[in-house]
Amino acid sequence: MHAAELFVRCLENEGVEYIFGIPGEENLDLMDALIDSPIHFITVRHEQGAAFMADVYGRLTGRPGVCLGTLGPGATNLITGVADANLDRAPVVAIAGQGSTHRLHKESHQIVDLVNLFVPISKYATSVREPEVIPEVVRKAFKEATLEKPGASFIELPENIAAAEVAEMAPLRVQNPRTPWPPEDRLAEAAALIAQAERPMVLAGNGVIRAQAAAALDSFAATLNIPVAKTFMAKGVIPREHPLSLGTAGLSGNDLIACGFERADLVICVGYDMVEYHPERWHRNPEQPVIHIGQQPAEVDAHYPVAVGVVGDLNAALHGLIRRLTARPENWASGLNQAIQQENREYAEDDGFPLKPQKILWDLRQVLAPEDILISDVGAHKLWIARMWQAQAPNTCLISNGFAAMGIGVPGALAAKLVHPERRVLTITGDAGFLMNSQELETALRLGLAFVVLIWSDSAYGLIKWHQDKRFGRETQIRFNNPDFVQYAESFGARGYRVESAAQLIPVLDEALHCGTVAVIDCPVDYAQNMQLTERLAALQCPV
């Protein structure tokens, strides 16, 4: 067989369903081998979009998403999405063609050192220099991408290696190690510390979702009456309206959730990853003890002094603590929970136009079912989604907050719809982020997919304006013009809508979600709310 055929067999062995990418000269043999494979190759319009699709596929399934580019610019176009997957802890395997090994040692057309480009943004990066090592390389790439903390692997496949003949070989058996059981002595130490605390609280991270431990966390909180805060990427691990929910932690400034951290005398971090929200922002009292419960030991940081570390399976750890502890008589943070719920409802009847972020999210929650999926692009809207969106279940609200790369919205929605065709999918994006990967509308339409793109339009880089206004009281270089988004969508063959009053939003959302194809909604947003929120939080009086 050819080495490219062996490579494809190894991908099939790993259970690969889709490869997102663009063909090129240096991966011709690989593309030809895929013709006879059950793997579905999805031709995209930009390699960055391919990497974002693999990123979201990996995050939703727990299995590596796969993306492909050719050498040089094709491979470098993958970098942003691969870096996003690596810091968002989404398993991804990126593959790139490369020129012949006979010209890698010298200056040559389109040749750059791809392995060394990908090393800083992946867990494993290598080049296949002998066809016989393909089974080992592919197996290791998938194993490394999946192991906690998940992330990206990169494989370079030179064109002469892909075309080489190789003896009949079989892929290696798929094996991934099990997460160890948490040590009993550490569980006992953690239980003793929790029992002593008067105002303990949980900070849950995306590791809870990766470990499929949301139900165990819910039981832990409900059984012991301990309130729970979530990071951006852990939304849904406990329903937002749950009486023990303290909302989402992640804003850099003061917020209602900061009151919880200030009052707590113990913080129990479960599946927490500081790449999302640095402990310096929430752990301001050096005397406040921290319990770290994770599948890996805690990262070393001066602001994360771990009193007890419980390393192992999260489900086992949480149930082990439940068995060792008794329930508290009351939820010490109930006043904080009530304040957060009241804030969520505050703009439910607002009829201002352009629409306020709070109103948009309230109305959207009325339209989407609990299991439907919201993909957040990156921008000012991301902070509003993190604060206000009432996620009901894990992986129903996806926010990129590790690398936090703009442009993930449209390709992310495409991948989410492939993974969950039975659910409705909507992405919220800014007018800036939308145009970074809007070309993937064509990909989605070619595949016959249906999802909604809700553009919060303000003709500016709204998040940067927010920062400029807070720091300097004035703005610079953040304004731009937009195309007519309705006509733009229709030019692809999608449906286009424009919201022109607050009363129109729910009817437009409802029609777009039921139109059976890709729909783009242009919704003007009132980002004057950004600075109003900043001023409001500066004068915040803690309700606990």
Side-chain angles (χ1 to χ4, degrees):
M1 64 170 68
H2 286 108
E5 295 175 83
L6 175 60
F7 196 97
V8 169
R9 286 193 188 180
C10 291
L11 295 179
E12 294 169 355
N13 183 61
E14 297 290 341
V16 174
E17 292 182 282
Y18 304 103
I19 298 177
F20 307 97
I22 296 179
E25 286 184 55
E26 285 68 27
N27 52 35
L28 286 176
D29 286 275
L30 186 60
M31 294 301 302
D32 187 73
L34 284 167
I35 292 175
D36 300 317
S37 170
I39 296 173
H40 184 35
F41 188 87
I42 294 180
T43 304
V44 303
R45 303 307 301 271
H46 193 287
E47 291 89 351
Q48 186 182 109
F52 279 139
M53 292 172 198
D55 177 344
V56 171
Y57 176 95
R59 191 164 157 187
L60 284 173
T61 65
R63 305 189 305 273
V66 181
C67 53
L68 174 73
T70 189
L71 86 173
T76 58
N77 281 346
L78 292 171
I79 284 177
T80 297
V82 171
D84 191 84
N86 204 48
L87 280 188
D88 276 6
R89 316 310 187 196
V92 161
V93 173
I95 304 163
Q98 181 58 287
S100 168
T101 57
H102 301 111
R103 61 189 183 101
L104 298 184
H105 64 285
K106 58 186 177 181
E107 291 183 5
S108 191
H109 180 64
Q110 290 193 309
I111 296 295
V112 291
D113 188 341
L114 294 179
V115 172
N116 278 324
L117 276 173
F118 279 86
V119 162
I121 59 166
S122 58
K123 296 176 67 181
Y124 173 65
T126 193
S127 179
V128 179
R129 295 304 174 92
E130 299 291 341
E132 290 78 11
V133 304
I134 286 174
E136 291 181 349
V137 166
V138 173
R139 177 79 282 272
K140 183 171 182 178
F142 278 79
K143 182 177 179 179
E144 289 292 334
T146 307
L147 287 178
E148 192 68 20
K149 299 174 184 176
S153 292
F154 171 74
I155 304 173
E156 174 190 85
L157 185 61
E159 59 181 337
N160 61 319
I161 302 297
E165 291 189 0
V166 62
E168 188 81 20
M169 298 178 71
L172 299 184
R173 184 162 61 96
V174 175
Q175 291 178 294
N176 288 311
R178 291 185 177 181
T179 305
W181 214 252
E184 293 292 324
D185 60 333
R186 293 303 179 93
L187 286 173
E189 290 179 42
L193 201 55
I194 296 169
Q196 295 168 11
E198 295 182 0
R199 297 179 303 279
M201 67 176 285
V202 169
L203 175 58
N206 185 252
V208 175
I209 296 178
R210 297 196 301 267
Q212 300 181 354
L217 178 64
D218 192 304
S219 295
F220 175 81
T223 302
L224 304 177
N225 222 359
I226 298 176
V228 178
K230 293 90 64 180
T231 63
F232 285 15
M233 289 171 55
K235 289 183 73 68
V237 294
I238 185 170
R240 179 68 179 267
E241 75 278 7
H242 194 290
L244 289 165
S245 174
L246 296 185
T248 308
L251 287 186
S252 58
N254 194 34
D255 203 351
L256 282 167
I257 187 60
C259 300
F261 286 114
E262 289 173 5
R263 288 281 291 143
D265 58 1
L266 172 68
V267 180
I268 307 163
C269 294
V270 184
Y272 164 71
D273 191 335
M274 64 179 64
V275 73
E276 287 192 70
Y277 188 46
H278 197 276
E280 184 178 8
R281 293 181 173 176
W282 58 265
H283 191 260
R284 298 171 183 174
N285 177 8
E287 303 302 318
Q288 183 187 62
V290 171
I291 294 175
H292 173 86
I293 303 175
Q295 295 187 77
Q296 280 195 335
E299 176 66 272
V300 175
D301 189 277
H303 297 276
Y304 196 59
V306 176
V308 179
V310 181
V311 179
D313 183 90
L314 294 191
N315 286 282
L318 292 167
H319 286 299
L321 289 172
I322 291 172
R323 291 193 300 270
R324 289 171 166 82
L325 292 163
T326 57
R328 297 168 181 279
E330 61 183 17
N331 171 18
W332 66 268
S334 59
L336 182 56
N337 173 273
Q338 292 166 13
I340 291 171
Q341 297 302 336
Q342 181 179 350
E343 185 183 49
N344 288 337
R345 296 186 292 267
E346 188 174 353
Y347 290 87
E349 305 301 326
D350 190 277
D351 61 359
F353 189 83
L355 280 85
K356 295 179 177 60
Q358 304 97 312
K359 172 64 173 175
I360 299 173
L361 294 172
W362 177 269
D363 283 2
L364 182 58
R365 181 70 282 177
Q366 312 315 304
V367 173
L368 289 183
E371 70 277 6
D372 291 338
I373 298 173
L374 170 62
I375 306 287
S376 174
D377 211 317
V378 174
H381 58 277
K382 182 183 85 168
L383 300 185
W384 285 105
I385 292 169
R387 283 192 88 245
M388 310 298 294
W389 182 249
Q390 300 189 51
Q392 305 299 315
N395 272 346
T396 59
C397 177
L398 268 62
I399 299 176
S400 171
N401 205 42
F403 195 60
M406 291 176 68
I408 195 173
V410 174
L414 186 156
K417 192 64 179 179
L418 285 175
V419 174
H420 290 294
E422 77 286 0
R423 302 191 197 178
R424 292 184 297 181
V425 174
L426 181 144
T427 180
I428 293 179
T429 181
D431 41 12
F434 171 67
L435 286 177
M436 288 186 175
N437 275 308
S438 60
Q439 72 281 348
E440 302 307 340
L441 294 176
E442 188 280 325
T443 308
L445 289 161
R446 181 169 14 102
L447 295 173
L449 300 178
F451 57 82
V452 175
V453 182
L454 179 58
I455 303 172
W456 290 19
S457 56
D458 67 329
S459 298
Y461 291 101
L463 181 57
I464 305 307
K465 180 183 185 303
W466 193 353
H467 286 299
Q468 290 176 347
D469 288 342
K470 283 193 293 186
R471 187 168 178 181
F472 303 109
R474 59 182 183 176
E475 65 180 58
T476 180
Q477 306 301 325
I478 48 85
R479 298 286 175 180
F480 50 76
N481 297 318
N482 284 315
D484 184 316
F485 287 127
V486 172
Q487 292 186 25
Y488 186 78
E490 292 173 347
S491 73
F492 283 94
R495 297 287 294 273
Y497 301 87
R498 181 172 292 107
V499 176
E500 296 179 324
S501 71
Q504 284 185 349
L505 180 58
I506 285 182
V508 167
L509 283 169
D510 191 61
E511 183 177 342
L513 286 163
H514 288 91
C515 73
T517 187
V518 176
V520 176
I521 303 173
D522 180 3
C523 182
V525 64
D526 176 12
Y527 272 149
Q529 290 295 304
N530 295 348
M531 282 305 296
Q532 290 180 26
L533 176 63
T534 296
E535 293 162 2
R536 179 176 175 177
L537 295 182
L540 178 69
Q541 298 294 317
C542 286
V544 293

